[in-house]
């Protein structure tokens, strides 16, 4: 997708980058890395432009009036108080603009809802206050782990300097291969949470007792960070999401490593099988 | 004027208690209106203190001022206090004072019920604020009180549920009173389509209140029984559904948004024509637009729930319905601008607040449209962008309109002109600090900062710092308003019966201050 608004946004981003440390999203949505996030990003930019044009039009008229039609400048009040043509025009034109906005949005909604034919299916379970992940289908099936925030308490309480990924780092990140369709099933153990990774354009509530789903296909390797987005109690601000998008080979290596880890960890939980797993490990 | 002097005399003869008992037993719409306004201002300051504590904690990354649990209590109570304690009662206060004066009625239709609807509020407020001091503290489930989180809360939650019940009863009684007053007590000759727009917007708002307050009462009652009586409305393990709560809550919650803004539209529609010295443009279309907004408000509730996983058809329906609301709202904005166009304008404080309302509220309208687009909303839901959006429509919308109305009618209420210079300072401080506080929140939300978190990554630090500085500025600016009102009550230049050159309406035909009893004999409207 190409956006005519990009130059304006990059100028703003450049200005913003001057005082603060480098960050790719100072004044706009985070840089998209999935097709859906790209569509959302583009749609938002377009809507901003349309709103800006309407804004300048309406308030241009208003401020012209504010400065010209003042009693102190000798303005004498006119007496008109209705005009059917004008009133019909400013009812119909907005409807047309809205139709123009609704069309691309409808296409995106339908695309976002299409969770069919995933390469890998992962269940994300919200807990107070961490995430649990189960790789249910596809490469890595059977991998499961918990993921909690890894920012040390001293950083939060001011005893230590804050790291770059303060509050946005976890002990066990989700790892997925680049370019594959990942379906995320969400549910929760206690209260409602929400699984949100802004760069993917994905936010899905995790509802206790119910399964919901969403999907993404990341086009670029990297580490992407998000938060729980539904108030879930005391530590709501401290249950981040970290997703590492890696190459197919790296993913295969990670899966092998996870399988090994799980085999060793299963040992105390299943004492009868301990001899065989230990020798296999 | 003979009716007026007669009523003055009558006021002297009436055997009414004095001192505190006057206020407890009063059935006079002006007394009750004043009590509503004072009550809502006290609640506004209480909610403001909570907001400033929140902004103090968010001043810099890290936990400095409060712990997360108390932080969540503050965000929850700030919302509840401002919505149910400050904004809604303030508009009812305006309705009490102004509707009888504007339609030429002697009082509200049910004067004793009017007393009761006000006096329910202080106990409700005590329950709400008192819940901070019970074991476990106030509810920390967010002002939306989503289940199952609200089912987990301590006894503060129960106090909040009872407070919401009581405030709901108060609102319903107030609304019935307004509907009956407007439909039955208009002066001869005042047809519905001759009514001042403020009365129209309140009539429609009152119907909304009667329709949705019982829905809220139902939602919180189901939480209460889930908490204590073994029901499972919102518990999947017992066959319930947590999302059901959200559907019921927002079926109340979205019309509630318009309950808080339609009377504001009414005030602005009185003020702008007065200071433009020109009749309101498109009166009839204003009435129809208000009614359309009210009807549409029942069909858009699930746009608060785009991330709950609605089916595609549901998302599309609620997206289209929400976008449609932009049409009547746009008509209103265009009508106000057309009213100003080729007027003969002066900019006293009421007009400043109305023009400020128009300018800043419309920005909130644009972000509302952006949030209506389901895919974009999925990115912005529960972020600071939404916080910015609803403060643009609730603070710059409802609150600025309330200030506009207060300055506009203060001379009628007190008999004195307020201090114009201080009023203008109040306006400029409010609008500047408002934007310093809330504009950066759009960027925070876009960049990915969730709402309702006590701590954040340092990349959000500078905008949060800015917002906190703005918030303190905004908060302290409101003390100027307090000073203006106190000064105006105590004295000042005598106000004429009609202090504003371009003002029209029955309220300006009675002296300032408005006598205790007015329109005992109805005026005739041509």
């Amino acid at each position: 997708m190409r956006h005519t608004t990009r130059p304006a946004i990059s100028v703003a981003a450049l200005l913003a980058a001057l005082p603060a440390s480098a960050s790719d999203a100072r004044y706009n949505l985070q840089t998209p890395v999935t097709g859906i996030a790209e569509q959302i990003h583009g749609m938002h930019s377009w809507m901003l432009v349309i709103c800006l044009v309407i804004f300048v039009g309406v308030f241009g008229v208003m401020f012209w009036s504010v400065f010209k039609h003042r009693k102190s400048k000798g303005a004498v009040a006119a007496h008109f108080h209705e005009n059917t043509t004008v009133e019909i025009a400013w009812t119909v034109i907005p409807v047309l603009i809205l139709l123009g906005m609704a069309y691309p949005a409808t296409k995106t909604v339908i695309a976002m809802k299409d969770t069919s034919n995933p390469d890998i299916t992962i269940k994300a379970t919200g807990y107070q206050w961490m995430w649990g992940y189960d790789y249910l289908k596809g490469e890595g099936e059977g991998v499961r782990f918990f993921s909690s925030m890894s920012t040390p308490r001293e950083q939060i309480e001011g005893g230590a300097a804050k790291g770059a990924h303060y509050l946005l780092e976890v002990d066990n990140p989700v790892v997925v291969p680049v370019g594959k369709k990942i379906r995320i099933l969400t549910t929760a153990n206690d209260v409602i949470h929400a699984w949100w990774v802004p760069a993917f354009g994905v936010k899905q509530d995790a509802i206790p007792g119910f399964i919901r789903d969403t999907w993404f296909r990341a086009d670029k390797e990297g580490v992407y960070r998000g938060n729980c987005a539904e108030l879930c109690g005391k530590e709501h601000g401290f249950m981040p999401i970290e997703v590492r998008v890696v190459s197919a080979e790296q993913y295969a290596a990670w899966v092998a490593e996870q399988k090994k880890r799980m085999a060793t960890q299963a040992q105390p939980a299943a004492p009868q099988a301990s001899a065989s797993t230990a020798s296999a490990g | 004027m003979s009716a007026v002097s007669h009523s003055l005399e009558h006021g002297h003869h009436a055997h009414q208690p004095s001192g505190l008992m006057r206020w407890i037993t009063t059935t006079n719409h002006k007394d009750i209106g004043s009590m509503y306004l004072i009550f809502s201002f006290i609640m506004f300051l209480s909610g403001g203190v909570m907001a400033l504590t929140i902004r103090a904690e968010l001043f810099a990354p890290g936990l400095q001022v409060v712990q997360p649990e108390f932080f969540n209590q503050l965000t929850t109570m700030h919302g509840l206090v401002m919505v149910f304690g400050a904004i809604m009662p303030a508009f009812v206060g305006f309705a009490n004072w102004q509707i009888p004066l504007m339609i030429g009625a002697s009082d509200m239709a049910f004067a004793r019920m009017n007393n009761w609807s006000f006096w329910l509020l202080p106990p409700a407020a005590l329950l709400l604020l008192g819940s901070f001091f019970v074991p476990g503290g106030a509810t920390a489930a967010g002002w939306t009180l989503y289940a199952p989180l609200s089912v987990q809360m301590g006894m503060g939650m129960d106090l909040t549920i009872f407070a919401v019940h009581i405030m709901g009863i108060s609102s319903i009684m107030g609304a019935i009173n307004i509907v009956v007053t407007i439909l039955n007590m208009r002066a001869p000759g005042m047809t519905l389509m001759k009514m001042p727009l403020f009365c129209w917007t309140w009539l429609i708002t009152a119907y909304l209140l009667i329709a949705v307050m019982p829905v809220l009462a139902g939602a919180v009652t189901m939480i209460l029984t889930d908490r204590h009586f073994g029901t499972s409305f919102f518990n999947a393990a017992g066959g319930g559904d947590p999302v059901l709560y959200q559907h019921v809550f927002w079926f109340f919650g979205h019309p509630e948004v318009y309950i808080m803004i339609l009377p504001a539209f009414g005030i602005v529609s009185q003020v702008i024509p007065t200071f433009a010295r020109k009749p309101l443009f498109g009166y009839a279309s204003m009435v129809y637009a208000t009614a359309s907004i009210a009807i549409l408000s029942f069909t858009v509730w699930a746009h608060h729930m785009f991330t709950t996983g609605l089916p595609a058809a549901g998302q599309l329906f609620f997206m289209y319905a929400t976008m449609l609301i932009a049409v009547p709202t746009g008509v209103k904005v265009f009508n106000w601008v057309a009213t100003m166009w080729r007027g003969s304008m002066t900019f006293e404080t009421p007009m400043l607040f109305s023009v400020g309302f128009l300018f800043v509220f419309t920005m909130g309208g644009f972000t509302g449209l952006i949030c209506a687009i389901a895919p974009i909303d999925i990115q912005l839901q529960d972020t600071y962008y939404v916080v910015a959006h609803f403060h643009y429509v609730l603070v710059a919308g409802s609150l600025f309109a309330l200030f506009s109305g207060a300055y506009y009618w203060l001379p009628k209420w007190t008999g004195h002109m307020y201090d114009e210079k201080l009023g203008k300072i109040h306006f400029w401080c409010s609008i500047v600090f408002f934007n310093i506080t809330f504009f950066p929140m759009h960027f925070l939300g876009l960049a990915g900062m969730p709402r309702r978190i006590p701590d954040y990554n340092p990349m959000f630090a500078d905008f949060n710092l800015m917002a906190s500085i703005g918030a303190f500025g905004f908060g302290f600016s409101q003390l100027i308003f307090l000073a203006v009102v106190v000064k105006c009550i105590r004295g000042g230049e005598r106000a004429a019966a009609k202090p504003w050159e371009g003002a029209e309406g029955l309220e300006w035909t009675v002296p300032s201050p408005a006598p205790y009893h007015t329109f005992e004999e109805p005026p005739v409207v041509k």
Side-chain angles (χ1 to χ4, degrees), chain A residues 7-252:
Chain A
I9 290 159
S10 38
V11 168
L14 201 69
L15 286 174
L18 292 177
S21 61
S23 165
D24 54 353
R26 295 278 307 155
Y27 290 90
N28 204 342
L29 291 164
Q30 293 187 11
T31 313
V33 291
T34 64
I36 294 286
E38 179 80 30
Q39 286 177 33
I40 294 172
H41 194 281
M43 214 166 1
H44 175 257
S45 302
W46 269 113
M47 288 208 47
L48 213 56
V49 171
I50 296 169
C51 290
L52 208 64
V53 170
I54 301 172
F55 185 84
V56 169
V58 173
F59 290 103
V61 172
M62 189 187 87
F63 279 109
W64 174 272
S65 187
V66 163
F67 289 111
K68 293 283 172 184
H69 305 147
R70 279 173 181 258
K71 197 184 177 200
S72 57
K73 294 202 171 162
V76 180
H79 288 285
F80 64 88
H81 56 83
E82 54 193 11
N83 183 326
T84 314
T85 321
V86 171
E87 288 177 66
I88 288 174
W90 69 38
T91 310
V92 173
I93 294 170
V95 172
L96 298 178
I97 296 173
L98 291 177
L99 284 175
M101 290 172 170
Y103 179 69
T106 303
K107 285 203 296 189
T108 307
V109 165
I110 290 167
M112 289 172 98
K113 278 291 175 187
D114 180 16
T115 53
S116 60
N117 303 318
D119 297 307
I120 295 173
T121 301
I122 305 171
K123 184 174 80 167
T125 308
Y127 295 88
Q128 284 173 319
W129 290 272
M130 62 180 162
W131 290 96
Y133 296 100
D134 291 73
Y135 285 58
L136 296 182
K137 252 183 157 174
E139 190 184 355
E141 188 175 325
V143 171
R144 53 187 306 179
F145 53 88
F146 289 106
S147 174
S148 326
M149 188 178 77
S150 59
T151 303
R153 201 71 210 170
E154 306 84 70
Q155 287 192 18
I156 297 172
E157 275 153 8
K162 294 175 178 40
H165 304 302
Y166 178 70
L167 304 185
L168 295 175
E169 53 204 347
V170 299
D171 49 4
N172 300 310
V174 181
V175 178
V176 295
V178 71
K180 295 277 191 237
K181 181 166 184 176
I182 314 292
R183 180 180 179 216
I184 300 282
L185 304 180
T186 63
T187 187
N189 189 50
D190 31 53
V191 298
I192 302 175
H193 303 266
W195 199 83
W196 177 35
V197 181
F200 297 167
V202 162
K203 185 185 288 149
Q204 176 57 56
D205 286 3
I207 300 158
F210 291 84
I211 302 271
R212 296 287 201 267
D213 67 348
T214 183
W215 70 278
F216 65 87
R217 187 196 303 273
D219 299 329
K220 222 176 113 208
E221 292 177 34
V223 182
Y224 304 101
R225 297 167 197 279
N227 301 74
C228 173
E230 184 62 61
L231 179 63
C232 57
K234 174 161 76 77
E235 307 284 312
H236 164 59
F238 307 104
M239 51 181 292
I241 293 145
E242 183 179 328
V243 181
R244 286 171 189 267
V245 178
V246 297
S247 66
E249 302 78 59
Q250 283 170 307
Y251 181 69

Side-chain angles (χ1 to χ4, degrees), chain B residues 51-403:
Chain B
L52 293 188
T53 316
I54 293 167
R55 283 316 321 172
E57 174 54 51
L58 294 174
F59 192 80
L63 292 177
Q64 289 95 6
V65 182
V66 293
Q67 287 302 306
E69 211 162 355
F70 186 57
F71 182 90
N72 289 347
Q73 295 179 23
L74 286 173
T75 52
T76 304
M77 296 303 277
H78 166 71
L80 290 168
V81 164
M82 287 304 198
V83 167
F84 294 105
I87 301 284
M88 289 171 68
F91 281 121
V92 183
F94 274 83
N96 262 293
W97 252 105
Q98 288 310 125
I99 288 176
L101 285 179
M102 291 171 109
I103 63 171
S106 55
D107 203 314
M108 297 295 282
F110 304 117
R112 285 196 179 82
M113 188 168 87
N114 203 13
N115 170 291
W116 181 226
S117 27
F118 171 76
W119 280 108
L120 281 175
L121 288 178
L126 285 178
L127 282 178
L128 202 56
L129 296 177
S131 71
F132 274 117
F133 305 102
V134 300
T139 172
W143 85 276
T144 51
L145 307 175
Y146 274 10
L149 187 60
S150 51
V151 177
Q152 282 187 347
M153 292 291 144
M155 73 181 285
M157 183 69 209
D158 301 314
L159 298 188
T160 298
I161 290 173
F162 292 131
V164 167
H165 277 150
I166 297 172
M167 290 186 290
I169 295 170
S170 159
S171 288
I172 292 169
M173 292 198 299
I176 291 173
N177 217 338
I178 288 165
V179 169
V180 176
T181 305
I182 291 178
L183 292 185
N184 292 302
M185 296 178 67
R186 277 168 291 128
M190 179 171 283
T191 60
L192 281 175
M193 289 308 274
K194 277 188 190 167
M195 240 177 11
L197 211 77
F198 177 71
C199 302
W200 255 116
T201 55
W202 242 117
L203 178 64
I204 292 167
T205 303
Y207 277 109
L208 285 180
L209 276 168
I210 295 168
V212 300
M213 291 312 286
V215 177
L216 174 66
V220 296
T221 306
M222 285 191 274
I223 288 184
L224 186 74
T225 62
D226 268 15
R227 286 167 59 78
H228 297 297
F229 305 109
T231 58
S232 301
F233 292 108
F234 309 127
N235 176 7
D241 182 350
V243 179
L244 171 67
Y245 176 80
Q246 298 183 25
H247 280 292
V248 180
F249 179 85
W250 287 114
F251 188 83
F252 146 81
H254 205 79
E256 167 70 12
V257 171
Y258 295 102
I259 287 167
M260 292 188 283
I261 200 67
L262 294 182
F265 291 167
I267 291 175
V268 170
S269 302
Q270 301 300 130
V271 170
I272 290 182
T274 296
F275 295 93
R277 292 167 181 77
K278 193 166 153 276
L280 182 69
F281 187 89
Y283 172 90
S285 72
M286 282 299 218
V287 173
Y288 301 142
T290 309
S292 321
I293 291 174
I295 291 164
L296 282 174
S297 76
F298 287 104
T299 66
V300 299
W301 76 87
H303 70 213
H304 297 272
M305 302 164 56
F306 282 145
T307 62
T308 55
L310 297 170
Q315 287 198 1
L316 292 176
F317 172 80
F318 287 106
M319 177 174 84
Y320 299 149
T322 307
M323 293 173 80
L324 264 186
I325 291 195
V327 176
T329 314
V331 166
K332 284 182 165 289
V333 171
F334 300 141
N335 280 340
W336 287 320
V337 173
T339 306
M340 291 163 70
W341 186 252
R342 290 184 54 212
S344 171
M345 281 188 279
T346 51
F347 294 90
E348 288 87 347
T349 312
M351 183 62 163
L352 285 178
F353 269 107
S354 276
V355 175
F357 161 94
L358 188 51
F359 185 62
V360 190
F361 170 79
T362 305
M363 291 197 223
F366 284 126
T367 55
L369 182 59
I370 286 172
C371 287
I373 306 294
I376 303 179
D377 183 73
I378 285 171
Q379 281 285 39
L380 301 177
Q381 157 81 11
D382 268 314
T383 68
Y384 260 85
Y385 192 91
V386 174
V387 176
H389 160 69
F390 68 70
H391 281 93
Y392 265 78
V393 292
L394 268 179
V395 179
S398 308
L399 184 66
F400 278 18
L402 284 164
F403 284 140

Side-chain angles (χ1 to χ4, degrees), chain B residues 438-460:
Chain B
F438 294 105
F439 202 76
M441 290 186 186
H442 293 112
F443 301 131
L444 288 173
L446 286 168
M449 178 168 162
R451 65 191 280 210
R452 294 167 166 166
I453 57 171
D455 193 6
Y456 49 83
N457 185 280
M459 70 174 161
F460 303 123

